[in-house]
Amino acid sequence: MTSAQSSTYEGFTAEERAAMKEHAQEQKKAARRTSRAEKEAEAARDVLAKIAEMPDADRILAERVHAVITANAPTLAPKLWYGMPAYALDGKVVCFFQSAAKFKARYATLGFNDPAKLDEGSMWATAFALTEATAEVEERIAALVQQAVR
């Protein structure tokens, strides 16, 4: 790679621009809701609708991740975040599911943000590749989200 190639900024990808547009729409929609209960119920419906739109492989994974998170960390509120199913505590996104199709990746991702209490020494994982929802994977997700909200 030449220095000219490495310093050329080509801007956001189409997928990144689409995610930012989705986030802006999510923010506008949330601002129109009135009560907290209405906001949470509508946000949960939005997450389920987004999951239903996913290609089959991503949808199956997202459904299992959603079920495991809501069963094991009921304090996390489902919401959309940049067009992805996410789970928040006190309005801050703790974890999210990124479908493989969203950014044309070869695997889906379960990611964790700063509020997740996954700290382990000086270095720890904040994202996990998902290719299948096995019993072992679901147990690991359950343990991670329980740790994240402690």
Side-chain angles (χ1 to χ4, degrees):
M1 185 183 286
T2 67
S3 61
Q5 288 173 322
S6 64
S7 64
T8 303
Y9 174 69
E10 298 194 19
F12 294 106
T13 66
E15 294 82 7
E16 291 168 330
R17 284 191 302 276
M20 289 185 284
K21 286 179 182 177
E22 282 184 284
H23 184 61
Q25 291 170 342
E26 293 158 8
Q27 297 294 78
K28 288 177 187 176
K29 190 174 183 180
R32 288 191 299 265
R33 297 177 186 139
T34 54
S35 71
R36 181 179 178 146
E38 179 185 84
K39 288 179 184 182
E40 289 176 1
E42 184 73 19
R45 284 191 296 272
D46 291 346
V47 165
L48 294 174
K50 182 59 74 175
I51 291 171
E53 294 172 2
M54 293 178 184
D56 287 347
D58 286 333
R59 181 185 47 75
I60 291 164
L61 276 173
E63 287 171 346
R64 293 307 313 142
V65 168
H66 178 77
V68 171
I69 291 173
T70 55
N72 288 279
T75 58
L76 293 178
K79 67 183 277 179
L80 288 179
W81 184 64
Y82 293 95
M84 297 178 284
Y87 304 86
L89 184 62
D90 299 326
K92 295 181 181 177
V93 172
V94 173
C95 60
F96 60 91
F97 177 85
Q98 180 178 299
S99 71
K102 185 156 187 80
F103 293 105
K104 299 177 184 160
R106 65 183 179 92
Y107 51 81
T109 305
L110 175 63
F112 291 85
N113 286 338
D114 289 354
K117 298 177 177 85
L118 299 180
D119 305 39
E120 189 175 296
S122 298
M123 183 175 151
W124 57 89
T126 60
F128 299 85
L130 296 171
T131 59
E132 189 177 6
T134 65
E136 182 181 332
V137 167
E138 291 183 14
E139 286 176 26
R140 180 73 174 123
I141 293 169
L144 284 166
V145 296
Q146 288 170 358
Q147 180 181 348
V149 297
R150 285 188 192 148

